[in-house]
Amino acid sequence: AELKKASKRLTCHKRYKIQKKIREHHRKVRKEAKKRGRKKPKKDPGVPSAAPFKEELLREAEQRKQRLEELKQKQKLNRQKEHEKKRKLEAKKNAAKIKEKAEGKESSGKSKAKTNKLLDKNSKKSFCRELKKVIEASDVVLEVLDARDPMGCRCPQLEQLVTCSGGDKKLLLVLNKIDLVPKENAEKWLNYLKKEFPTVAFKSATMMKDRTMPEQFTKRRARVGLVGTTQSFGSKCLLKLLQEYGKTQNKAIQVGVVGFPNVGKSSIINSLKGVRACNVGLARGVTKSMQIVHVDKQTKMLDSPSIIADPSNSVLALALRSIIDTEESGSADVLEGVDAILNHCSKQQVMMHYSIPDFRNTEEFLTILAQKRGMLKKGGVPDTENIAKLLLCDWTGAKISYHSQPPGSQRPPPYLTEAKIAEMQEYFNLKNLEEENNNTLQALKYPSPASSIIFQSAGMANGTIEEHKVMEEASEWEYVETGEEKEEEEEDFTESDDDQDHMEEEEKDVEEVNQVLVALALVSLTHDFLFSESEHSNSLSFSLDKTADEDDAYDFNTDYV
């Protein structure tokens, strides 16, 4: 038997009471409107005829009016272009769907995957292509290492490519984040690494001023995170080393900065430049393409995308060194990565650091940590997946202090002969470099060895440099472009020079308005797309299924009298 819907009928007493309230409300509104009265807008009196420079003022007003009209016209044209692009994309998608039905789902699925790989700028092949560009264009290559696990940040394929490339290409190691390891450990690693390549101790600056943002925003943010602002250490030493090498070559040099994700490549460039010239973030793979930053007249820094970790690496190396999108990656991969990290650490130190009791396995550890931090799902169930993603971000970011010991014996890789080591150290003043490194180490504050977690490194991490060796994964979303859009969206080198600051004000205004319009158009497109999809889905909420007649809400806008 079907259940009858509850009646919407009210008692007369309640209905009359509502109607009375409505009448009183309308009466009150009319009374207030009568008191205020209708104020006519004041007419613009214009420029008085006795005013000096009247003609110039009128001419300026006319020019301002013309500029506003031109701006409106540009906005209109941009809107039309957006609509045209949308129509073309829809037409292309419809054509692809028809073709898929005709040829079959399997064949069309493969072709779609291929086109997506070619068009996706965030793809691994694109990263390899841009990284190769940086290495080829550089006179000096800086391989950035995380001081907590320097050996795990070294890529033998990259080092072999640079050392065996011929010519005068040099490779320097930059030991970044030295403030996160005990002082003795940092000294040991510097002594170990300097026997193979010239090594610079470095600590990047954080919370740098972004010159692309207006002052009012930076002031507001500075009020919140003023304590987090730090200066860089080792930047003068590195810059001096590069400038001296440039003088020996009698030319302006290009310095490529390469390394695995989250080792601090862009932060080093920002520290050398003194402003936030490159985008930085906790997420892995923020830099998508090669970017040129002019440090001075004789030195150009080339920022590069991260090295792609080879799938043949250990689970630990993949967890710490691969470009993982924590939002899209599966929970199994993230849990495996956390398990590998915990297995390579001292259990007692992990318990002390997170202030948690003893745990039997990784799942129990994540459950206890999620409960402690209040990361719970519906019904109070611990959210182990999200806490695992957060843990991975903490271990690659600058939150956790851990350190690994250098190998007991010095065994250089096969590609690094004594002749190659001497060639890499040529033209560099190693005595001055050692003194500057000692000064940097003395100036910093370090965590105590007891508070830093002991970590067992997995050794060098293999990377994929060649584009044809990349095992590309099929992208999950469809992206279709017309030929015209491909020409428009060809990647150029983005130069950040001091000349860019002196642009015309009117052009800036037009660009800002256009960006806002494009952003609004994209938001509206995604909004329409989501709602059109949700109409066809079976999991609609109950509130959407109700019609206007069935809604229980009382309409207070209608007067029932």
Side-chain angles (χ1 to χ4, degrees), residues 44-72:
D44 184 15
V47 183
S49 42
F53 313 112
K54 180 184 175 181
E55 290 181 0
E56 291 180 9
L57 288 170
L58 289 170
R59 204 178 299 117
E60 283 178 9
E62 189 64 33
Q63 286 174 359
R64 204 178 299 114
K65 194 176 178 182
Q66 283 179 0
R67 279 201 297 270
L68 283 169
E69 286 178 1
E70 286 173 6
L71 192 64
K72 283 179 182 177

PDB file of all heavy atoms in Angstrom, residues 44-72:
ATOM      1  N   ASP A  44      24.014  66.271 -13.450  1.00  0.00           N
ATOM      2  CA  ASP A  44      25.382  66.753 -13.548  1.00  0.00           C
ATOM      3  C   ASP A  44      25.370  68.173 -14.106  1.00  0.00           C
ATOM      4  O   ASP A  44      24.918  68.402 -15.235  1.00  0.00           O
ATOM      5  CB  ASP A  44      26.187  65.821 -14.465  1.00  0.00           C
ATOM      6  CG  ASP A  44      27.646  66.211 -14.524  1.00  0.00           C
ATOM      7  OD1 ASP A  44      28.078  66.984 -13.659  1.00  0.00           O
ATOM      8  OD2 ASP A  44      28.351  65.749 -15.448  1.00  0.00           O
ATOM      9  N   PRO A  45      25.862  69.159 -13.325  1.00  0.00           N
ATOM     10  CA  PRO A  45      25.798  70.556 -13.816  1.00  0.00           C
ATOM     11  C   PRO A  45      26.775  70.841 -14.944  1.00  0.00           C
ATOM     12  O   PRO A  45      26.651  71.851 -15.636  1.00  0.00           O
ATOM     13  CB  PRO A  45      26.169  71.364 -12.566  1.00  0.00           C
ATOM     14  CG  PRO A  45      26.994  70.445 -11.733  1.00  0.00           C
ATOM     15  CD  PRO A  45      26.469  69.069 -12.000  1.00  0.00           C
ATOM     16  N   GLY A  46      27.751  69.929 -15.146  1.00  0.00           N
ATOM     17  CA  GLY A  46      28.741  70.153 -16.185  1.00  0.00           C
ATOM     18  C   GLY A  46      29.813  71.123 -15.738  1.00  0.00           C
ATOM     19  O   GLY A  46      29.884  71.513 -14.580  1.00  0.00           O
ATOM     20  N   VAL A  47      30.656  71.534 -16.681  1.00  0.00           N
ATOM     21  CA  VAL A  47      31.745  72.468 -16.384  1.00  0.00           C
ATOM     22  C   VAL A  47      31.240  73.892 -16.549  1.00  0.00           C
ATOM     23  O   VAL A  47      30.686  74.240 -17.599  1.00  0.00           O
ATOM     24  CB  VAL A  47      32.948  72.214 -17.319  1.00  0.00           C
ATOM     25  CG1 VAL A  47      34.102  73.134 -16.966  1.00  0.00           C
ATOM     26  CG2 VAL A  47      33.383  70.771 -17.255  1.00  0.00           C
ATOM     27  N   PRO A  48      31.382  74.737 -15.519  1.00  0.00           N
ATOM     28  CA  PRO A  48      30.927  76.125 -15.665  1.00  0.00           C
ATOM     29  C   PRO A  48      31.695  76.845 -16.758  1.00  0.00           C
ATOM     30  O   PRO A  48      32.872  76.575 -16.996  1.00  0.00           O
ATOM     31  CB  PRO A  48      31.228  76.741 -14.285  1.00  0.00           C
ATOM     32  CG  PRO A  48      31.437  75.600 -13.373  1.00  0.00           C
ATOM     33  CD  PRO A  48      31.923  74.468 -14.190  1.00  0.00           C
ATOM     34  N   SER A  49      31.006  77.775 -17.455  1.00  0.00           N
ATOM     35  CA  SER A  49      31.641  78.487 -18.570  1.00  0.00           C
ATOM     36  C   SER A  49      32.748  79.416 -18.090  1.00  0.00           C
ATOM     37  O   SER A  49      33.672  79.726 -18.833  1.00  0.00           O
ATOM     38  CB  SER A  49      30.595  79.287 -19.358  1.00  0.00           C
ATOM     39  OG  SER A  49      29.683  79.925 -18.487  1.00  0.00           O
ATOM     40  N   ALA A  50      32.708  79.847 -16.788  1.00  0.00           N
ATOM     41  CA  ALA A  50      33.744  80.738 -16.258  1.00  0.00           C
ATOM     42  C   ALA A  50      34.971  79.968 -15.789  1.00  0.00           C
ATOM     43  O   ALA A  50      35.989  80.570 -15.430  1.00  0.00           O
ATOM     44  CB  ALA A  50      33.169  81.549 -15.091  1.00  0.00           C
ATOM     45  N   ALA A  51      34.886  78.646 -15.761  1.00  0.00           N
ATOM     46  CA  ALA A  51      35.999  77.833 -15.248  1.00  0.00           C
ATOM     47  C   ALA A  51      37.196  77.892 -16.199  1.00  0.00           C
ATOM     48  O   ALA A  51      37.021  77.868 -17.417  1.00  0.00           O
ATOM     49  CB  ALA A  51      35.566  76.383 -15.082  1.00  0.00           C
ATOM     50  N   PRO A  52      38.430  77.991 -15.637  1.00  0.00           N
ATOM     51  CA  PRO A  52      39.621  78.001 -16.518  1.00  0.00           C
ATOM     52  C   PRO A  52      39.857  76.609 -17.108  1.00  0.00           C
ATOM     53  O   PRO A  52      39.503  75.611 -16.508  1.00  0.00           O
ATOM     54  CB  PRO A  52      40.762  78.404 -15.575  1.00  0.00           C
ATOM     55  CG  PRO A  52      40.291  78.004 -14.219  1.00  0.00           C
ATOM     56  CD  PRO A  52      38.793  78.127 -14.227  1.00  0.00           C
ATOM     57  N   PHE A  53      40.473  76.586 -18.274  1.00  0.00           N
ATOM     58  CA  PHE A  53      40.807  75.336 -18.982  1.00  0.00           C
ATOM     59  C   PHE A  53      39.559  74.476 -19.228  1.00  0.00           C
ATOM     60  O   PHE A  53      39.608  73.257 -19.141  1.00  0.00           O
ATOM     61  CB  PHE A  53      41.832  74.507 -18.186  1.00  0.00           C
ATOM     62  CG  PHE A  53      43.002  75.291 -17.685  1.00  0.00           C
ATOM     63  CD1 PHE A  53      43.182  75.516 -16.334  1.00  0.00           C
ATOM     64  CD2 PHE A  53      43.923  75.816 -18.583  1.00  0.00           C
ATOM     65  CE1 PHE A  53      44.259  76.239 -15.868  1.00  0.00           C
ATOM     66  CE2 PHE A  53      45.013  76.527 -18.117  1.00  0.00           C
ATOM     67  CZ  PHE A  53      45.184  76.753 -16.760  1.00  0.00           C
ATOM     68  N   LYS A  54      38.456  75.129 -19.541  1.00  0.00           N
ATOM     69  CA  LYS A  54      37.206  74.388 -19.762  1.00  0.00           C
ATOM     70  C   LYS A  54      37.330  73.449 -20.955  1.00  0.00           C
ATOM     71  O   LYS A  54      36.906  72.286 -20.901  1.00  0.00           O
ATOM     72  CB  LYS A  54      36.060  75.384 -19.980  1.00  0.00           C
ATOM     73  CG  LYS A  54      34.719  74.706 -20.221  1.00  0.00           C
ATOM     74  CD  LYS A  54      33.631  75.694 -20.517  1.00  0.00           C
ATOM     75  CE  LYS A  54      32.334  74.968 -20.873  1.00  0.00           C
ATOM     76  NZ  LYS A  54      31.247  75.891 -21.181  1.00  0.00           N
ATOM     77  N   GLU A  55      37.923  73.945 -22.043  1.00  0.00           N
ATOM     78  CA  GLU A  55      38.036  73.141 -23.266  1.00  0.00           C
ATOM     79  C   GLU A  55      38.890  71.885 -23.022  1.00  0.00           C
ATOM     80  O   GLU A  55      38.557  70.797 -23.491  1.00  0.00           O
ATOM     81  CB  GLU A  55      38.647  73.990 -24.388  1.00  0.00           C
ATOM     82  CG  GLU A  55      37.701  75.089 -24.888  1.00  0.00           C
ATOM     83  CD  GLU A  55      38.331  75.897 -26.009  1.00  0.00           C
ATOM     84  OE1 GLU A  55      39.487  75.581 -26.374  1.00  0.00           O
ATOM     85  OE2 GLU A  55      37.671  76.831 -26.507  1.00  0.00           O
ATOM     86  N   GLU A  56      39.996  72.069 -22.279  1.00  0.00           N
ATOM     87  CA  GLU A  56      40.862  70.916 -21.985  1.00  0.00           C
ATOM     88  C   GLU A  56      40.132  69.871 -21.144  1.00  0.00           C
ATOM     89  O   GLU A  56      40.254  68.667 -21.388  1.00  0.00           O
ATOM     90  CB  GLU A  56      42.113  71.378 -21.239  1.00  0.00           C
ATOM     91  CG  GLU A  56      43.048  72.190 -22.111  1.00  0.00           C
ATOM     92  CD  GLU A  56      44.283  72.646 -21.356  1.00  0.00           C
ATOM     93  OE1 GLU A  56      44.475  72.175 -20.211  1.00  0.00           O
ATOM     94  OE2 GLU A  56      45.042  73.468 -21.899  1.00  0.00           O
ATOM     95  N   LEU A  57      39.378  70.337 -20.150  1.00  0.00           N
ATOM     96  CA  LEU A  57      38.620  69.414 -19.306  1.00  0.00           C
ATOM     97  C   LEU A  57      37.595  68.639 -20.107  1.00  0.00           C
ATOM     98  O   LEU A  57      37.429  67.429 -19.951  1.00  0.00           O
ATOM     99  CB  LEU A  57      37.927  70.180 -18.174  1.00  0.00           C
ATOM    100  CG  LEU A  57      38.835  70.720 -17.063  1.00  0.00           C
ATOM    101  CD1 LEU A  57      38.057  71.654 -16.165  1.00  0.00           C
ATOM    102  CD2 LEU A  57      39.398  69.576 -16.239  1.00  0.00           C
ATOM    103  N   LEU A  58      36.886  69.350 -21.009  1.00  0.00           N
ATOM    104  CA  LEU A  58      35.886  68.680 -21.849  1.00  0.00           C
ATOM    105  C   LEU A  58      36.538  67.674 -22.791  1.00  0.00           C
ATOM    106  O   LEU A  58      36.009  66.590 -23.033  1.00  0.00           O
ATOM    107  CB  LEU A  58      35.097  69.721 -22.657  1.00  0.00           C
ATOM    108  CG  LEU A  58      34.122  70.601 -21.859  1.00  0.00           C
ATOM    109  CD1 LEU A  58      33.604  71.743 -22.721  1.00  0.00           C
ATOM    110  CD2 LEU A  58      32.945  69.769 -21.343  1.00  0.00           C
ATOM    111  N   ARG A  59      37.745  68.056 -23.303  1.00  0.00           N
ATOM    112  CA  ARG A  59      38.456  67.155 -24.204  1.00  0.00           C
ATOM    113  C   ARG A  59      38.881  65.882 -23.459  1.00  0.00           C
ATOM    114  O   ARG A  59      38.758  64.762 -23.976  1.00  0.00           O
ATOM    115  CB  ARG A  59      39.696  67.860 -24.746  1.00  0.00           C
ATOM    116  CG  ARG A  59      40.175  67.276 -26.095  1.00  0.00           C
ATOM    117  CD  ARG A  59      41.379  67.995 -26.655  1.00  0.00           C
ATOM    118  NE  ARG A  59      41.106  69.396 -26.908  1.00  0.00           N
ATOM    119  CZ  ARG A  59      41.715  70.409 -26.293  1.00  0.00           C
ATOM    120  NH1 ARG A  59      42.627  70.168 -25.372  1.00  0.00           N
ATOM    121  NH2 ARG A  59      41.419  71.660 -26.574  1.00  0.00           N
ATOM    122  N   GLU A  60      39.378  66.063 -22.222  1.00  0.00           N
ATOM    123  CA  GLU A  60      39.774  64.907 -21.407  1.00  0.00           C
ATOM    124  C   GLU A  60      38.586  64.001 -21.100  1.00  0.00           C
ATOM    125  O   GLU A  60      38.690  62.763 -21.139  1.00  0.00           O
ATOM    126  CB  GLU A  60      40.394  65.387 -20.089  1.00  0.00           C
ATOM    127  CG  GLU A  60      41.816  65.881 -20.244  1.00  0.00           C
ATOM    128  CD  GLU A  60      42.391  66.383 -18.930  1.00  0.00           C
ATOM    129  OE1 GLU A  60      41.738  66.179 -17.892  1.00  0.00           O
ATOM    130  OE2 GLU A  60      43.491  66.969 -18.954  1.00  0.00           O
ATOM    131  N   ALA A  61      37.462  64.631 -20.789  1.00  0.00           N
ATOM    132  CA  ALA A  61      36.252  63.847 -20.507  1.00  0.00           C
ATOM    133  C   ALA A  61      35.820  63.054 -21.731  1.00  0.00           C
ATOM    134  O   ALA A  61      35.414  61.886 -21.628  1.00  0.00           O
ATOM    135  CB  ALA A  61      35.123  64.774 -20.055  1.00  0.00           C
ATOM    136  N   GLU A  62      35.945  63.678 -22.905  1.00  0.00           N
ATOM    137  CA  GLU A  62      35.564  62.997 -24.158  1.00  0.00           C
ATOM    138  C   GLU A  62      36.505  61.817 -24.432  1.00  0.00           C
ATOM    139  O   GLU A  62      36.075  60.728 -24.828  1.00  0.00           O
ATOM    140  CB  GLU A  62      35.627  63.996 -25.316  1.00  0.00           C
ATOM    141  CG  GLU A  62      35.050  63.481 -26.629  1.00  0.00           C
ATOM    142  CD  GLU A  62      33.567  63.198 -26.556  1.00  0.00           C
ATOM    143  OE1 GLU A  62      32.856  63.914 -25.807  1.00  0.00           O
ATOM    144  OE2 GLU A  62      33.124  62.252 -27.231  1.00  0.00           O
ATOM    145  N   GLN A  63      37.809  62.046 -24.189  1.00  0.00           N
ATOM    146  CA  GLN A  63      38.790  60.971 -24.398  1.00  0.00           C
ATOM    147  C   GLN A  63      38.543  59.803 -23.439  1.00  0.00           C
ATOM    148  O   GLN A  63      38.643  58.638 -23.824  1.00  0.00           O
ATOM    149  CB  GLN A  63      40.203  61.511 -24.183  1.00  0.00           C
ATOM    150  CG  GLN A  63      40.698  62.391 -25.323  1.00  0.00           C
ATOM    151  CD  GLN A  63      42.038  63.035 -25.006  1.00  0.00           C
ATOM    152  OE1 GLN A  63      42.592  62.833 -23.927  1.00  0.00           O
ATOM    153  NE2 GLN A  63      42.543  63.840 -25.936  1.00  0.00           N
ATOM    154  N   ARG A  64      38.203  60.133 -22.178  1.00  0.00           N
ATOM    155  CA  ARG A  64      37.899  59.095 -21.193  1.00  0.00           C
ATOM    156  C   ARG A  64      36.693  58.274 -21.617  1.00  0.00           C
ATOM    157  O   ARG A  64      36.658  57.046 -21.500  1.00  0.00           O
ATOM    158  CB  ARG A  64      37.637  59.749 -19.831  1.00  0.00           C
ATOM    159  CG  ARG A  64      37.886  58.807 -18.655  1.00  0.00           C
ATOM    160  CD  ARG A  64      37.673  59.482 -17.321  1.00  0.00           C
ATOM    161  NE  ARG A  64      38.548  60.596 -17.071  1.00  0.00           N
ATOM    162  CZ  ARG A  64      38.152  61.866 -16.966  1.00  0.00           C
ATOM    163  NH1 ARG A  64      36.865  62.176 -17.042  1.00  0.00           N
ATOM    164  NH2 ARG A  64      39.014  62.843 -16.745  1.00  0.00           N
ATOM    165  N   LYS A  65      35.703  58.994 -22.156  1.00  0.00           N
ATOM    166  CA  LYS A  65      34.487  58.318 -22.628  1.00  0.00           C
ATOM    167  C   LYS A  65      34.817  57.378 -23.793  1.00  0.00           C
ATOM    168  O   LYS A  65      34.320  56.245 -23.868  1.00  0.00           O
ATOM    169  CB  LYS A  65      33.469  59.367 -23.065  1.00  0.00           C
ATOM    170  CG  LYS A  65      32.067  58.826 -23.265  1.00  0.00           C
ATOM    171  CD  LYS A  65      31.115  59.956 -23.590  1.00  0.00           C
ATOM    172  CE  LYS A  65      29.705  59.416 -23.855  1.00  0.00           C
ATOM    173  NZ  LYS A  65      28.776  60.500 -24.226  1.00  0.00           N
ATOM    174  N   GLN A  66      35.683  57.843 -24.686  1.00  0.00           N
ATOM    175  CA  GLN A  66      36.072  57.012 -25.843  1.00  0.00           C
ATOM    176  C   GLN A  66      36.824  55.760 -25.383  1.00  0.00           C
ATOM    177  O   GLN A  66      36.613  54.664 -25.903  1.00  0.00           O
ATOM    178  CB  GLN A  66      36.958  57.830 -26.793  1.00  0.00           C
ATOM    179  CG  GLN A  66      36.170  58.825 -27.651  1.00  0.00           C
ATOM    180  CD  GLN A  66      37.092  59.636 -28.551  1.00  0.00           C
ATOM    181  OE1 GLN A  66      38.304  59.451 -28.535  1.00  0.00           O
ATOM    182  NE2 GLN A  66      36.506  60.541 -29.320  1.00  0.00           N
ATOM    183  N   ARG A  67      37.727  55.953 -24.379  1.00  0.00           N
ATOM    184  CA  ARG A  67      38.482  54.796 -23.873  1.00  0.00           C
ATOM    185  C   ARG A  67      37.560  53.755 -23.260  1.00  0.00           C
ATOM    186  O   ARG A  67      37.737  52.548 -23.438  1.00  0.00           O
ATOM    187  CB  ARG A  67      39.504  55.256 -22.821  1.00  0.00           C
ATOM    188  CG  ARG A  67      40.782  55.813 -23.413  1.00  0.00           C
ATOM    189  CD  ARG A  67      41.925  55.772 -22.397  1.00  0.00           C
ATOM    190  NE  ARG A  67      41.666  56.596 -21.235  1.00  0.00           N
ATOM    191  CZ  ARG A  67      42.000  57.876 -21.136  1.00  0.00           C
ATOM    192  NH1 ARG A  67      42.600  58.500 -22.144  1.00  0.00           N
ATOM    193  NH2 ARG A  67      41.736  58.551 -20.024  1.00  0.00           N
ATOM    194  N   LEU A  68      36.544  54.236 -22.520  1.00  0.00           N
ATOM    195  CA  LEU A  68      35.578  53.315 -21.918  1.00  0.00           C
ATOM    196  C   LEU A  68      34.807  52.550 -22.986  1.00  0.00           C
ATOM    197  O   LEU A  68      34.557  51.348 -22.871  1.00  0.00           O
ATOM    198  CB  LEU A  68      34.610  54.072 -21.012  1.00  0.00           C
ATOM    199  CG  LEU A  68      35.151  54.497 -19.643  1.00  0.00           C
ATOM    200  CD1 LEU A  68      34.187  55.449 -18.961  1.00  0.00           C
ATOM    201  CD2 LEU A  68      35.384  53.289 -18.752  1.00  0.00           C
ATOM    202  N   GLU A  69      34.422  53.266 -24.058  1.00  0.00           N
ATOM    203  CA  GLU A  69      33.704  52.611 -25.155  1.00  0.00           C
ATOM    204  C   GLU A  69      34.576  51.559 -25.838  1.00  0.00           C
ATOM    205  O   GLU A  69      34.111  50.466 -26.179  1.00  0.00           O
ATOM    206  CB  GLU A  69      33.241  53.656 -26.170  1.00  0.00           C
ATOM    207  CG  GLU A  69      32.044  54.494 -25.675  1.00  0.00           C
ATOM    208  CD  GLU A  69      31.639  55.559 -26.675  1.00  0.00           C
ATOM    209  OE1 GLU A  69      32.266  55.633 -27.754  1.00  0.00           O
ATOM    210  OE2 GLU A  69      30.694  56.310 -26.369  1.00  0.00           O
ATOM    211  N   GLU A  70      35.878  51.923 -26.052  1.00  0.00           N
ATOM    212  CA  GLU A  70      36.806  50.956 -26.671  1.00  0.00           C
ATOM    213  C   GLU A  70      36.965  49.717 -25.788  1.00  0.00           C
ATOM    214  O   GLU A  70      37.023  48.585 -26.276  1.00  0.00           O
ATOM    215  CB  GLU A  70      38.167  51.612 -26.874  1.00  0.00           C
ATOM    216  CG  GLU A  70      38.188  52.611 -28.024  1.00  0.00           C
ATOM    217  CD  GLU A  70      39.504  53.372 -28.102  1.00  0.00           C
ATOM    218  OE1 GLU A  70      40.429  53.028 -27.327  1.00  0.00           O
ATOM    219  OE2 GLU A  70      39.587  54.300 -28.916  1.00  0.00           O
ATOM    220  N   LEU A  71      37.055  49.960 -24.466  1.00  0.00           N
ATOM    221  CA  LEU A  71      37.181  48.846 -23.529  1.00  0.00           C
ATOM    222  C   LEU A  71      35.959  47.935 -23.581  1.00  0.00           C
ATOM    223  O   LEU A  71      36.081  46.703 -23.581  1.00  0.00           O
ATOM    224  CB  LEU A  71      37.358  49.394 -22.113  1.00  0.00           C
ATOM    225  CG  LEU A  71      37.786  48.405 -21.021  1.00  0.00           C
ATOM    226  CD1 LEU A  71      39.170  47.854 -21.323  1.00  0.00           C
ATOM    227  CD2 LEU A  71      37.780  49.070 -19.661  1.00  0.00           C
ATOM    228  N   LYS A  72      34.775  48.553 -23.657  1.00  0.00           N
ATOM    229  CA  LYS A  72      33.540  47.766 -23.775  1.00  0.00           C
ATOM    230  C   LYS A  72      33.527  46.947 -25.058  1.00  0.00           C
ATOM    231  O   LYS A  72      33.092  45.795 -25.078  1.00  0.00           O
ATOM    232  CB  LYS A  72      32.324  48.693 -23.727  1.00  0.00           C
ATOM    233  CG  LYS A  72      31.985  49.187 -22.321  1.00  0.00           C
ATOM    234  CD  LYS A  72      30.783  50.109 -22.351  1.00  0.00           C
ATOM    235  CE  LYS A  72      30.474  50.654 -20.961  1.00  0.00           C
ATOM    236  NZ  LYS A  72      29.353  51.618 -20.988  1.00  0.00           N
TER     237      LYS A  72
END
